[in-house]
């Protein structure tokens, strides 16, 4: 996920809204803009902590080669350039802890090619580490307020501020969130609210980095700047009252593989008539990567997805998404229809075992005029109210997608080419570009997907069958190891510890990162 959106936190829960700055979405109503960047491990080519006295983040990052993302992290004495807490760069400590002040604080660090958050004292092979405070999330729990007291955080950090935070998902993805403040339209966040935001976007662990006038996010490449709506220069400052970037004397610079950060679109299909196991396999054999099918009540049996079909689709190797539709223009009924359809969609999702955290699209399957947009928004919001734990998306033409995105009416957007006058929204997560095509003997619509977080279920589930295992010898520098390897289901496995130690490497189990670290 890479996006610029508007949020507020109410009773510990995050609400997303449109990029509007008056009325119900004003600063007085608690709203603020945020920018979110997720960096999966595969998209990270390299990451460095660079100390350069007298320099700002943009000045440091502009000198680096490649496609880079950069941000500040450490607390710093701006006047002297002193880093306020233990800091490691290029594997060496460049600043110590401050007695009775920073010794209990955690770090954002990079070790063994992976990001981590926590105590670095037991972590081997740390390339760099930047101290933050306080810890926001620990093992999926909001600990911000308690950590602020434990870590001796100064009072201004506890106040309403522009923010910068880093989080780690369970799959190792780094999440950066920049929160605007100190302007006419953006409130900023308290620490516990920032933790709620990080949890909302999937962080398992998170830490507060230096915010306020220091918080800076830089990108050298236009694709990322466009996704984040960075329109002036190559950077965005969270402090909207600032005249320019602060001299923070350091930057975390991440070289990005753009092809992995912005992967090519996936080809897939949607269809009204249910797929048999044979049809699903045949469609997968034609190159489709996903299928979108209908959640509808039993009265619509001709297009209803049953659990057996959902299982067959996944067994065929297709990813799966769902859409709810009873009639073309049901959303014209506003909130009343949204409540009814949301309840019906929830019942069907439970029947087929669709997990929470996934998307359910609600269809606006007609040439909706602008005069219907208020009703459509009310419909989507009411449907979301009835679908706790799920993320509502909307299917519709260009105008519907653009307007519902602007209003923040839902989380995901599926655009059809129909009624779109040749326009394609940059907001679309799914793009339906051709209808009524015969593929593998089945009538389908062609789609492209740009955000695979809409899918649910396992695309790699296979039919159960006996798996043969062949034991193999492992020979290192002409010497056979006592431990054996194996070939199972076409995959060769070798004993990592024995192999590494035979090559003179150090092997350490990193409990916090849930990883084996091998250092040569």
């Amino acid at each position: 996920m890479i996006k610029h959106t508007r949020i507020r936190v109410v009773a510990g829960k995050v609400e997303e809204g449109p990029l509007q700055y008056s009325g119900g979405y004003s600063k007085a109503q608690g709203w603020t803009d945020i920018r979110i960047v997720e960096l999966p491990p595969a998209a990270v080519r390299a990451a460095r902590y660079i100390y350069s006295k007298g320099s700002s983040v943009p000045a440091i990052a502009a000198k680096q080669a490649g496609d880079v993302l950069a941000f500040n992290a450490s607390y710093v004495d701006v006047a002297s350039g002193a880093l306020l807490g233990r800091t490691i760069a290029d594997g060496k400590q460049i600043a110590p802890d401050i007695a009775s002040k920073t010794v209990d604080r955690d770090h954002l660090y990079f070790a063994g090619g992976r990001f981590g958050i926590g105590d670095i004292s037991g972590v081997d092979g740390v390339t760099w580490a930047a101290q933050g405070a306080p810890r926001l999330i620990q093992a999926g729990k909001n600990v911000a307020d308690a950590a602020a007291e434990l870590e001796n955080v100064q009072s201004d950090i506890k106040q309403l501020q522009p923010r910068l935070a880093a989080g780690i998902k369970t799959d190792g993805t780094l999440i950066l969130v920049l929160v605007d403040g100190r302007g006419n339209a953006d409130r900023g966040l308290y620490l516990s609210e920032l933790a709620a935001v990080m949890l909302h976007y999937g962080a398992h662990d998170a830490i507060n980095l230096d915010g306020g006038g220091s918080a800076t996010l830089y990108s050298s490449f236009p694709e990322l700047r466009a996704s984040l709506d960075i329109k002036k220069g190559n950077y965005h400052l969270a402090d909207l009252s600032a005249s320019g970037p602060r001299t923070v004397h350091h930057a975390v610079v991440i070289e990005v593989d753009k092809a992995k950060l912005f992967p090519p679109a996936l080809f897939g299909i949607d269809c009204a008539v249910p797929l048999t196991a044979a049809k699903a396999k045949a469609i997968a054999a034609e190159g489709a990567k996903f299928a979108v099918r209908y959640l509808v009540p039993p009265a619509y049996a001709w297009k209803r997805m049953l659990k057996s079909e959902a299982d067959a689709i996944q067994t065929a190797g297709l990813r799966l998404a769902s859409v709810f539709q009873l009639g073309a223009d049901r959303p014209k009924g506003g909130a009343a229809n949204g409540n009814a359809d949301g309840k019906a969609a929830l019942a069907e999702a439970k029947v087929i075992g669709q997990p929470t955290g996934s998307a359910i699209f609600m269809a606006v399957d007609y040439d909706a005029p602008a005069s219907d947009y208020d009703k459509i928004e009310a419909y989507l919001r009411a449907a979301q109210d009835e679908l706790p734990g799920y993320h509502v998306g909307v299917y519709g033409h260009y105008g519907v997608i653009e307007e519902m995105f602007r209003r923040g009416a839902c989380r995901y957007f599926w655009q059809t080419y129909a009624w779109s006058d040749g326009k394609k929204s940059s907001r679309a997560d799914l793009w339906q570009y051709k209808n009524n095509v015969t593929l593998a003997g089945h009538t389908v619509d062609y789609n492209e997907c740009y955000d695979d977080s809409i899918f649910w279920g396992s695309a790699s589930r296979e039919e159960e069958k006996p798996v043969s295992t062949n034991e193999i010898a492992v020979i290192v520098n002409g010497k056979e190891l006592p431990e054996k390897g194996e070939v199972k289901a076409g995959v060769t496995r070798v004993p990592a510890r024995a192999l590494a130690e035979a090559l003179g490497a150090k092997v350490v189990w990193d409990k916090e990162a849930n990883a084996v670290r091998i250092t040569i």
Side-chain angles (χ1 to χ4, degrees), residues 133-405:
R135 183 73 171 259
L136 298 172
I137 302 171
Q138 187 165 13
K141 302 294 184 183
N142 184 334
V143 298
D145 289 339
E149 298 304 317
L150 176 66
E151 297 172 26
N152 195 24
V153 169
Q154 62 197 57
S155 59
D156 65 314
I157 296 174
K158 301 176 185 178
Q159 303 305 311
L160 202 62
Q161 297 286 5
R163 301 284 183 185
L164 176 61
I168 309 290
K169 287 187 168 185
T170 54
D171 66 356
T173 294
L174 175 69
I175 310 172
L176 297 173
V177 175
L178 190 75
V179 181
D180 286 351
R182 297 181 185 168
N184 295 327
D186 298 277
R187 170 180 173 270
L189 293 174
Y190 289 104
L191 289 168
S192 61
E193 294 173 333
L194 181 61
V197 170
M198 300 305 288
L199 279 171
H200 179 75
Y201 291 109
H204 185 69
D205 292 284
I207 192 168
N208 181 58
L209 304 177
D210 190 11
S214 298
T216 307
L217 188 62
Y218 170 98
S219 171
S220 69
F221 52 102
E223 295 91 340
L224 183 57
R225 295 197 299 271
S227 297
L228 296 174
D229 289 334
I230 296 176
K231 297 173 180 175
K232 292 182 66 176
N234 293 342
Y235 60 88
H236 183 78
L237 305 177
D239 182 352
L240 300 179
S241 69
S243 59
R246 176 176 287 178
T247 300
V248 293
H249 310 282
H250 76 281
V252 174
V253 180
I254 302 173
E255 184 182 358
V256 171
D257 184 337
K258 288 195 298 185
K260 300 289 178 59
L261 187 61
F262 299 100
L266 295 174
F267 165 68
I269 61 99
D270 71 270
C271 56
V273 178
L275 293 169
T276 63
K279 288 290 186 184
K281 288 181 179 179
I283 286 172
E286 292 288 342
K289 303 299 182 184
F290 65 87
V292 186
R293 286 285 294 116
Y294 284 87
L295 297 180
V296 287
Y300 296 78
W302 68 274
K303 67 175 182 178
R304 185 187 186 210
M305 177 166 55
L306 300 176
K307 188 177 187 304
S308 57
E309 183 191 358
D311 290 344
I313 288 171
Q314 295 169 79
T315 297
L318 295 170
R319 306 181 201 190
L320 185 59
S322 55
V323 58
F324 184 90
Q325 181 181 0
L326 295 185
D329 61 356
R330 284 278 296 175
K332 288 174 68 173
N337 282 1
N339 288 134
D341 290 358
K343 289 177 181 177
L346 179 62
E348 291 301 307
K350 298 300 184 185
V351 166
I352 65 172
Q354 179 171 343
T356 55
S358 55
I360 297 176
F361 288 94
M362 311 300 287
V364 182
D365 198 12
Y366 70 106
D367 190 6
S371 58
D372 283 355
Y373 289 166
D374 287 346
K375 297 172 185 176
I376 293 170
E377 178 186 5
Y379 173 87
L380 294 171
R381 293 190 184 280
Q384 181 65 80
D385 288 343
E386 303 295 340
L387 286 161
Y390 294 96
H391 299 298
V392 164
V394 63
Y395 166 93
H397 63 63
Y398 174 86
V400 168
I401 299 304
E402 287 287 309
E403 186 63 18
M404 292 306 109
F405 176 87

Side-chain angles (χ1 to χ4, degrees), residues 470-488:
N470 295 317
E471 190 176 86
I472 59 172
V474 180
I475 301 172
V476 180
N477 294 328
K479 183 179 180 180
E480 184 174 341
L481 301 182
E483 296 84 354
K484 302 296 183 182
E486 67 177 20
V487 178
K488 184 175 183 179

Side-chain angles (χ1 to χ4, degrees), residues 75-90:
Y75 290 100
V76 62
D77 184 317
V78 173
S80 68
L83 298 170
L84 305 179
R86 186 184 180 197
T87 309
I88 294 173
D90 296 325

